Amino acid sequence: MRIVKKERQKRLKDTINNNPFITDEELAEQFQVSVQTIRLDRLELSIPELRERIKNVAEERLIDEVKSLPIDEIIGEIIDVDLDKSAISIFEVKNEHVFKRNSIARGHHLFAQANSLAVAVINDELALTAKANIQFTRSVKQGERVIAKAKVYDIHNEKDRTTVEVNSFVGSELVFKGEFEMYRNSK
């Protein structure tokens, strides 16, 4: 027996709140309606699609974890962080990030992604870049996705310094590498 629209939408909202990772296909099967009906219900209820829900859950988790800067000041989208150990972010190179004449990404965007990731991985309220040794290894074009991976190597509490290495890739190809010496307020 089919449930009336109002009741279905109430149950749909509860189901998504309990499991934000459920797909439209799984919801359609559960409620015995078409995928299009589920999408229309979500639209009416202002519930975002799965990809956006996953992103929202990740951001909510990261807001509590990242201490050194607000999550909206990070360049790129952090997808994983283990404070004082490692972090990963993704940066989509769009039209506004490239030189108009050749569609090559401006270097300061790649540096900003790596630098903000190096700051975000620090388990402290204050983290500042004291020194950076960077190298661009290949040009990045519009439409490419840059994945930056940060790894903490040395934590010197007596010197208030932490060394973070960041490698950025397009696919499996290294496009940027940097070693950041981070000042941290260990007092």
Side-chain angles (χ1 to χ4, degrees):
M1 185 177 106
R2 289 205 168 204
I3 6 179
V4 293
K5 180 179 177 180
K6 204 163 196 79
E7 180 62 23
R8 182 184 67 240
Q9 287 184 343
K10 181 187 177 314
R11 289 184 188 177
L12 175 71
K13 192 172 189 174
D14 291 342
T15 302
I16 292 174
N17 283 337
N18 290 332
N19 179 9
F21 305 117
I22 193 166
T23 66
D24 287 347
E25 291 75 13
E26 291 168 327
L27 289 165
E29 189 176 311
Q30 181 176 334
F31 291 104
Q32 299 177 345
V33 294
S34 70
V35 173
Q36 187 60 35
T37 299
I38 293 296
R39 290 181 179 148
L40 289 170
D41 284 350
R42 273 194 309 94
L43 190 63
E44 283 183 33
L45 296 168
S46 299
I47 298 172
E49 65 181 344
L50 176 62
R51 184 177 174 166
E52 194 64 30
R53 292 194 309 265
I54 291 171
K55 182 179 170 188
N56 291 341
V57 169
E59 282 178 356
E60 286 171 18
R61 185 180 69 85
L62 291 170
I63 284 170
D64 296 335
E65 287 189 38
V66 175
K67 296 179 179 181
S68 54
L69 77 165
I71 204 80
D72 61 337
E73 290 182 15
I74 296 170
I75 306 302
E77 179 182 326
I78 290 192
I79 57 171
D80 186 39
V81 66
D82 188 1
L83 293 177
D84 279 344
K85 291 189 177 122
S86 63
I88 300 172
S89 76
I90 297 174
F91 176 64
E92 301 279 345
V93 180
K94 298 181 181 163
N95 186 46
E96 62 267 22
H97 306 124
V98 300
F99 293 108
K100 301 291 180 228
R101 63 186 162 92
N102 56 16
S103 296
I104 293 175
R106 293 186 191 105
H108 66 273
H109 293 295
L110 300 179
F111 173 80
Q113 177 192 21
N115 188 61
S116 64
L117 192 60
V119 172
V121 76
I122 303 296
N123 187 12
D124 210 321
E125 294 291 323
L126 177 66
L128 303 169
T129 305
K131 183 167 83 171
N133 182 12
I134 65 167
Q135 182 179 2
F136 296 92
T137 58
R138 160 168 101 66
S139 298
V140 177
K141 296 264 189 191
Q142 181 177 340
E144 291 186 313
R145 174 184 285 172
V146 181
I147 299 174
K149 298 178 179 182
K151 185 165 177 49
V152 175
Y153 279 99
D154 293 318
I155 300 174
H156 297 288
N157 288 329
E158 65 280 351
K159 295 192 323 189
D160 297 330
R161 296 288 197 261
T162 297
T163 303
V164 180
E165 182 179 279
V166 180
N167 291 307
S168 300
F169 301 87
V170 171
S172 61
E173 191 174 358
L174 183 69
V175 296
F176 173 94
K177 62 183 179 178
E179 184 175 282
F180 296 85
E181 186 178 299
M182 307 302 295
Y183 168 82
R184 64 190 302 152
N185 186 12
S186 60
K187 293 165 185 63

